[in-house]
Amino acid sequence: MNKYIFLFLIFFSYSSFAQDKYWQQHLNYTIDVTLDDNDKTLTGFETIVYKNNSPSSLDFIWFHIYPNAYKNETTAMFQQIKNDPSRKKKLDKYTYGEIAGLNFKVNGKVAETEAHPNPQYIDVIKVKLPSALKPGDSTVITTDFKVKLPSYFSRSGYADGEFMITQWYPKPAVYDKDGWHEFPYLDMGEFYSEYADFKVNISLPSAYIVGATGILQNADELEQYKKIGAQNYASKNDKPVLYIPQNKSGNKTLTYVMKNAPDFAWFADKKFVVAYDTVQLNSGKVVDVFSYYFNKKNTLWLQSVDYAKDATKKYSNWIGEYDYPVVQVVEGPKNNASGGMEYPTITLITSPDAKPETLDAIITHEVGHNWFMSMLGSNERIHSWQDEGLNTYYQFRYEAEKYKSNSVMGEIPANIKALPVDQFQSAIYNAVMSIPIKSAIATPAAEFPTSDDYGMASYLKPALWLYMLEAAVGKDKVDLAFKNYYNNWKHKHPSPADMKAAFEQSLGSNLDKYFDLLKKEGSFKETK
C-alpha cells in the first residue's frame, strides 16, 4: 500500500510541476481606428501592454503586419495562390492593400525595427526593445498605422459596399515554449495569436451597421440593434425593420470590449438587416445572438439566428459551455474558395445560401470555431487539424442528428437517410474512408500542395480519425474526453500532446496508436 501511495505522490508531484511549467504571454490592446469608406482606408493608433510571462528575457518582439501580404505579388500569400490551380481564379481582378505609417515606441522611446530576412515575409517586422523585457515584467508599445484595404479576394477587404476588417492591426507574434511563430499571412493556412483583452474604438460614417468581436459599449446603438433585431427575428419576413442612424450625417464612434480573445475583427455595411435573440445554456447563462444579413427575397438568412443558437447549445453540451457573452454571424460576399471565416464571437459566412441545411451547417461550423480556435487556441498554422478537423467531427454530428445530411458528401440516397442516426453516421464515415487522401493529418498548412489536399487532410481525415476513436470507446466517452480537454486548456495554447494527455486522462487508456495515425499518409482502411 505504501508503495502505491509513494508512486501516486511522485506522479502527482510530476503532474503539478509539468502544469506549473506552462506559461503564455498576455496582451492588452487599446485601438482607435477610423474608416474612410471613400478611400477604402483605415487610420489607427494602438497601445499594447505586453506582459512577458515566459522564463526568458526578450530583446525584441516579432509583429505581424498582415495587410502587407496584399502589397505586391512577391509575398507568401500571392505565391501560394499562384501555385495552386484551384485558387488562381481569385487573382482575376483585384486591388492591392498595405499597411504604412508605423512608428513603434516602447515605453515612449522610439524603437528600432528590422525587416524579416525572408523577402516574402514583408508582413512581418521585428521591433527591438530599448531594454530587455524580463520575466514577469510588462512594457507599453504604441504605433500609428494606416491600412489601404484590398478588394476582397482573401479574408480582408471590401466588396459591394461591405467592409471585412480582419487581420488589420499590428499584432505581436506568439512566443511560446517553442520560440517565436512569426509566420506570414497565407490564403490557405490560418493563424496563431496571443490571448488578449481588447478595447477598440471604431469611427466611421453614421449610416453603417457594425458587427464586431466583443460587446458594444454604446448603449443607444446596442439598444437599437437589439430592438429592431428582436422584431426582425420574430417576424422572419422580407419586410424587415431597418436601422436608422441617430445622426444621418457625419461619423459615429462605436466602442467594443472583449476579454480573453486571440483576435479582433469587424464588419460594416449600410444595408445590413439586424436580427437578434438570446440563447440560454444549461447552466442558466444567457448569450446574445446577432445576425447581420442582406434583405433579399426568400433569403434563408431569416433562420440564421436559430442556426447560431442551435450550434451554440449543441457545442456547449458536447464540449463545454460557451465562455463568451455574445455570438454573431455576418453575411458576406461570395468567396470562391471558402464557406466562411471565423473570428472570436463573430464569423463571416461567404457561401451562397443554396438550401437551409447547407447554410445551417456552414454557420454551425463557423460558430464551432469559437471552441476550436478561440477558446482552445491551438497553432492552426502547424496543426490545422486541431482546429478544422475537431470542428468538422462535431459539425458532422450536428448535421446527422438534425437533418440526416452531410454537407461534404452532397446528395445522400434515401435508403441511407432512412437509417437511425448512428447507422447513418457509420455509412457517412465508411464513404469518407473510401476517399483517397494522400497527405498525413499532421502536415503543416504551408506544406500542402493544393487547397483540395489541405481540405481533405485538415477537415475530413481528422473527423474520420475521431470517429474511429468513437467507434472504439463510444460517443459519450469521446465527449467526456473533449470536456476534459476543454476544461484543462480553455484560453490556452494546447498542443497535440496536450490534447492526447487530456484524452488519456479522461479515457484511462493509452492512445499512442490513435495519435500515431496523425502521421499516416494515405487511407486508414488497413488500420485495425
Side-chain angles (χ1 to χ4, degrees), residues 66-67 156 165-169 171 185 191 193 263-264 343:
Y66 280 143
S156 185
I165 313 300
T166 68
Q167 308 302 335
W168 54 281
Y169 55 94
K171 62 178 177 179
Y185 180 99
F191 307 101
S193 302
D263 202 1
F264 188 100
Y343 305 92

Side-chain angles (χ1 to χ4, degrees), residues 203-422:
S203 297
L204 75 173
S206 295
Y208 281 92
I209 300 101
V210 174
T213 294
I215 307 166
L216 178 59
Q217 300 298 292
N218 304 65
D220 291 345
E221 188 91 359
L222 180 60
E223 179 59 30
Q224 187 177 178
Y225 284 14
K226 286 186 174 181
K227 183 178 179 181
I228 64 175
Q231 291 174 289
N232 291 331
Y233 174 73
S235 62
K236 290 188 175 69
N237 61 43
D238 56 6
K239 295 181 180 178
V241 181
L242 299 179
Y243 171 79
I244 300 174
Q246 296 175 23
N247 177 12
K248 294 188 178 181
S249 61
N251 278 13
K252 63 185 174 185
T253 299
L254 303 179
T255 298
Y256 292 84
V257 298
M258 189 66 218
K259 289 185 178 297
N260 251 337
D263 202 1
F264 188 100
W266 54 284
F267 307 90
D269 197 294
K270 296 177 181 178
K271 304 184 297 297
F272 278 148
V273 174
V274 182
Y276 166 76
D277 197 30
T278 61
V279 60
Q280 184 170 345
L281 306 181
N282 286 345
S283 70
K285 177 181 178 177
V286 176
V287 176
D288 284 333
V289 184
F290 288 94
S291 174
Y292 309 88
Y293 61 91
F294 299 112
N295 186 25
K296 298 173 293 187
K297 190 174 182 180
N298 300 321
T299 178
L300 298 179
W301 276 78
L302 296 175
Q303 308 300 324
S304 55
V305 166
D306 284 329
Y307 298 155
K309 287 169 60 176
D310 285 353
T312 304
K313 286 179 72 173
K314 286 287 190 182
Y315 274 63
S316 289
N317 292 341
W318 289 331
I319 304 159
E321 185 171 271
Y322 186 72
D323 200 50
Y324 294 135
V326 61
V327 61
Q328 304 162 91
V329 290
V330 180
E331 183 176 12
K334 180 180 177 181
N335 182 316
N336 59 20
S338 170
M341 185 60 208
E342 69 281 356
Y343 305 92
T345 77
I346 193 163
T347 182
L348 184 72
I349 307 297
T350 53
S351 177
D353 49 358
K355 53 186 179 179
E357 57 266 39
T358 303
L359 181 61
D360 191 358
I362 293 167
I363 287 177
T364 293
H365 182 90
E366 303 305 335
V367 167
H369 278 299
N370 281 288
W371 282 262
F372 302 115
M373 177 280 292
S374 192
M375 293 182 286
L376 290 166
S378 56
N379 185 339
E380 302 172 76
R381 182 62 63 86
I382 304 300
H383 311 293
S384 54
W385 65 271
Q386 212 173 349
D387 167 47
E388 300 294 357
L390 307 188
N391 192 15
T392 300
Y393 168 77
Y394 279 108
Q395 174 200 334
F396 283 1
R397 188 191 296 183
Y398 179 95
E399 292 181 88
E401 291 186 0
K402 192 170 182 179
Y403 296 108
K404 297 277 190 71
S405 70
N406 183 282
S407 52
V408 173
M409 301 307 292
E411 200 64 37
I412 296 171
N415 64 314
I416 302 298
K417 289 179 75 76
L419 293 171
V421 171
D422 287 351

Side-chain angles (χ1 to χ4, degrees), residues 43 48 65 67 123 146 151 177 182 194 239 258 290-291 313 320 330 336 356 378 385-386 404 426 464 486 502 519:
T43 303
I48 303 171
I65 47 174
D123 53 349
K146 185 161 187 176
S151 56
K177 64 182 176 60
E182 76 281 16
E194 299 285 14
K239 295 181 180 178
M258 189 66 218
F290 288 94
S291 174
K313 286 179 72 173
V330 180
N336 59 20
S378 56
W385 65 271
Q386 212 173 349
K404 297 277 190 71
S426 179
L464 172 61
Y486 179 73
K519 300 174 184 177

Side-chain angles (χ1 to χ4, degrees), residues 19-36:
Q19 186 68 19
D20 288 343
K21 282 171 55 176
Y22 177 80
W23 53 268
Q24 67 188 45
Q25 311 293 59
H26 189 268
L27 284 63
N28 193 310
Y29 287 92
T30 302
I31 307 177
D32 296 286
V33 61
T34 300
L35 169 68
D36 186 323

